[in-house]
Amino acid sequence: MTHLPPPAEELRLLDAELWQLDARRAQLLTRRAWLVAALHQTQQPRAQASARPPVAVPPRPETAAPSVQNALLVLGGVLLTLAAAVFTLVSWGHMGIAGRALVLGAVTLATLAAPVALLKRGLRSTAESVAGLGLALTVLDAYALHAAALSGTDGTGYAATASAVLAAVWAAYGLLPATAALRLPLPCALAAAQLPLLLGALTAGASAYVITAALLVTAGLDAVAVVRLPAGAVRITAAVGAYGMGGWGVLGAGWLSLTAGGPGAASRAGALLLLAGAIALAAAWRGPGTRHALGLAMTSGLLVVAALGGVARSGVPSQWAVPAHLVVGIGLLAAVRGERLPVAVRRGFVWASGAVQTLAVLWALPVVVVVLLGPAGRLGRVWSGAPADARAAVTVEVPWPSGATVAPLVLMAVAAVLALAVRAVPWRGRALLGSLGLLWATALTLPAVFEVPYPVGMLVLGVLTAAALSACRITASAARVTALVLALVTAAGLTLVSLASQSATLIALSVLTALFAAASWRTGVAPFTAPAALVYGAGLASASGAAADWPPARAALLVLVVPAAASLLAPRLGAARATVPVEAVGAALGLFAVTLAVTDPPMLALVLALCGVIAAGTALRAERRPVGYAAAALFVLAAWVRLAVWDVTAPEAYTLPVTVPALLVGALRRRRDPQASSWTAYGPGLAATLLPSLVAAWADPHWTRPLLLGGAALLVTLLGARHHLQAPLALGGSVLALVTLHELAPYVVQVTGALPRWAPPALAGLLLLALGATYEQRIRDVRRVREVLGRMN
């Protein structure tokens, strides 16, 4: 119960509450008045600030002051140098010898002395620019001296002497205590030092060997400078000179080695290559840092191979040139055994040896390609006759490669190196696989190289295939993949080689089918070997039919044995992954059989029916139930082809006896299983009559069949709509639309002929505009129709 105080007490409580409310209201009104005054005072300065003009912000400089300074100094030095060059070349002849010497000498000395004063004042950038101008003036002095007093001397010889003198003068100028802070004279001196030896050799009319030696010696001196000098612009200049002059020297020595006419010339060119290799090796060994050591060591090894191999090439037949280089390349691996060499040098030698061996294998690769793909030339003349030997079997339309006799030796040598020399754990497995691949290539080429009899060559290919398939049982995945690839490639080569003879083709295909079938039984490569066995089995069936002089359509019956076997064996293979590939290849071979039988309609009907039997047998498995649709389609196609063969003009007499029982069976199926699809229950029965009748109606000039077929299609469509069944609705509606189109086509043609030529395009344009205006609604309607059909059973 609610407690109510006495009236006097309740009145006292109400008065107290009203007093508190009045006090709180007065406090809030006071606070509000203060806030209004403060807000008014704050808005006045803001309005005054907005009325003031904006403060101008100085533009941000786009170029830093040092950049402007350097640009001005460089531009000034260039202009002064150009002015001095113009004075020397144009105005020089207007003065006497004393005046010329006085002017140029005074200007050059003053220019070279100016950087000393500038450095003392701390103007280093200006001093660099003036020093560059002074160095350029010394070049002009040298030219002026030759033009005025030494014009009768040889220009190339004078240039060699002048470049040497200028290099020495610039180096001395850069090493003086007063000018040691300048960074330009020493790199310029080193750049000028690249020319004296080369120009001197050209002046003396030296041979190409001496000129190349001059280039290499210059590169060697640059390499010494790189090793001795500290990091900076001088060492960068020396490195550029070493790479540039050394590159030209190596190219020249290589050209001399390739064009050497005898052992003497080859020895001289080899000596130059060895000199280049020694320079690269010394730079890799003693050079500061190891960033370029690997590349220099590899270059050194390649140069040694080119030198010694070139000398050996001059004394052996041309086909032994690659083996000679290969021997030297393999010999580089002996240097890797020494522990005294730096790690980078040893690795460079290993890479150089690997590069030589790779090039040798690539040189021998055309022989392997000819052995494998050369027999493909017999595809246009199958069973033309057994060749005389294994080489004739592979050189059908391609020539035998030059030097193929020693190709097996090259492959075996590289295989031995991979098997024996590679000991590192990460690379050991790959090296062994590579060695096995090279040994396989060697065995593949030996029959053609030695021209063994044709049957012996085929036997070798068969043995290689069997060995590779046996190796597929290896646990290691990489080894298994390698063996599988070798087996497939060898089998393809054997198949091509066997096309020369009928008996050879039958024997080879039989053996390959048996080998791949045996390899497919409970092994990890069954997804690849089992389809291969099916392909070779189909090839054997086709070849057997051709050997028996059967037409292709009749041979299709033999080919169908392979899809039947695939359908039976697919679920029984040990590897579950092999089921789908086997069934896919079986289906493809069934299509191949149908293609063979296309030219013979009666046989085509039989082949389609047999394909339907195979598909129906596959559909018996629970996981392959959808294949039943393909089986039904094949049976229907077989029936249509048979009707066409019999020249039946009234197909309904043959299709209705099939349709009625099929529809009854479908109705019983739907009664027992209401969830069964209408396509499964009624689709085959309806298609068996409607589709052949539609084809006959389109070729029928009378009106009776189209009328009856249209009525039946209308009835089927209405029944499908009434019971919400997708198959009757789709099939009946499609047939009804096509029959209507067929019947109305003549009238449409007449109307089209009566209309003006502009009318059809105009009507089409109006239709497109109407469709575009209601495009969204049409899409919605189409989606609604699709949803209605999707909800149907």
Side-chain angles (χ1 to χ4, degrees), residues 178-428:
T179 57
L182 296 175
R183 292 177 294 182
L184 191 60
L186 291 180
C188 292
L190 196 55
Q194 309 297 314
L195 301 177
L197 290 179
L198 176 61
L199 295 178
L202 293 175
T203 303
S207 63
Y209 295 95
V210 177
I211 295 174
T212 305
L215 290 172
L216 293 177
V217 171
T218 304
L221 296 176
D222 290 331
V224 173
V226 172
V227 174
R228 299 295 183 182
L229 294 176
V234 182
R235 196 165 79 177
I236 293 175
T237 306
V240 172
Y243 281 115
M245 304 300 284
W248 283 110
V250 168
L251 291 177
W255 176 254
L256 293 174
S257 178
L258 289 175
T259 58
S267 300
R268 291 192 293 272
L272 293 175
L273 290 173
L274 288 177
L275 175 60
I279 295 172
L281 178 61
W285 197 333
R286 302 295 183 184
T290 58
R291 186 172 56 178
H292 303 289
L294 178 62
L296 291 172
M298 183 177 176
T299 303
S300 176
L302 292 176
L303 291 174
V304 171
V305 172
L308 300 181
V311 174
R313 184 182 65 247
S314 63
V316 297
S318 58
Q319 62 182 358
W320 289 92
V322 172
H325 287 79
L326 178 61
V327 171
V328 181
I330 295 174
L332 284 177
L333 296 176
V336 180
R337 300 293 181 181
E339 298 295 336
R340 298 178 57 185
L341 294 176
V343 176
V345 174
R346 293 203 300 270
R347 290 181 59 192
F349 282 175
V350 170
W351 281 101
S353 178
V356 173
Q357 296 177 57
T358 302
L359 293 175
V361 171
L362 292 177
W363 173 83
L365 191 60
V367 183
V368 182
V369 174
V370 169
V371 171
L372 287 175
L373 302 181
R378 295 189 181 275
L379 293 175
R381 40 182 174 176
V382 178
W383 296 352
S384 58
D389 51 49
R391 182 180 297 183
V394 299
T395 55
V396 181
E397 295 181 354
V398 293
W400 184 244
S402 60
T405 305
V406 298
L409 294 178
V410 171
L411 297 174
M412 290 180 63
V414 178
V417 171
L418 289 176
L420 300 176
V422 180
R423 296 295 182 182
V425 176
W427 296 93
R428 181 64 177 169

Side-chain angles (χ1 to χ4, degrees), residues 372 440 444 465 483-495 516 536:
L372 287 175
W440 166 81
L444 196 67
T465 304
L484 176 62
V485 172
L486 296 182
L488 293 174
V489 172
T490 312
L494 176 58
T495 303
F516 279 94
Y536 287 117

Side-chain angles (χ1 to χ4, degrees), residues 9 169 175-176 253 348 421 435 727:
E9 181 67 19
V169 171
L175 294 175
L176 291 175
S435 177

Side-chain angles (χ1 to χ4, degrees), residues 406-512:
V406 298
L409 294 178
V410 171
L411 297 174
M412 290 180 63
V414 178
V417 171
L418 289 176
L420 300 176
V422 180
R423 296 295 182 182
V425 176
W427 296 93
R428 181 64 177 169
R430 302 174 187 177
L432 290 177
L433 292 178
S435 177
L436 291 175
L438 292 175
L439 291 176
W440 166 81
T442 303
L444 196 67
T445 58
L446 285 177
V449 170
F450 291 106
E451 298 180 288
V452 300
Y454 175 65
V456 177
M458 290 189 58
L459 179 62
V460 172
L461 292 176
V463 171
L464 289 176
T465 304
L469 289 175
S470 300
C472 289
R473 297 182 179 274
I474 298 174
T475 306
S477 58
R480 179 182 296 173
V481 171
T482 303
L484 176 62
V485 172
L486 296 182
L488 293 174
V489 172
T490 312
L494 176 58
T495 303
L496 293 176
V497 171
S498 67
L499 296 178
S501 172
Q502 175 179 317
S503 58
T505 301
L506 296 175
I507 293 173
L509 292 176
S510 302
V511 171
L512 291 176

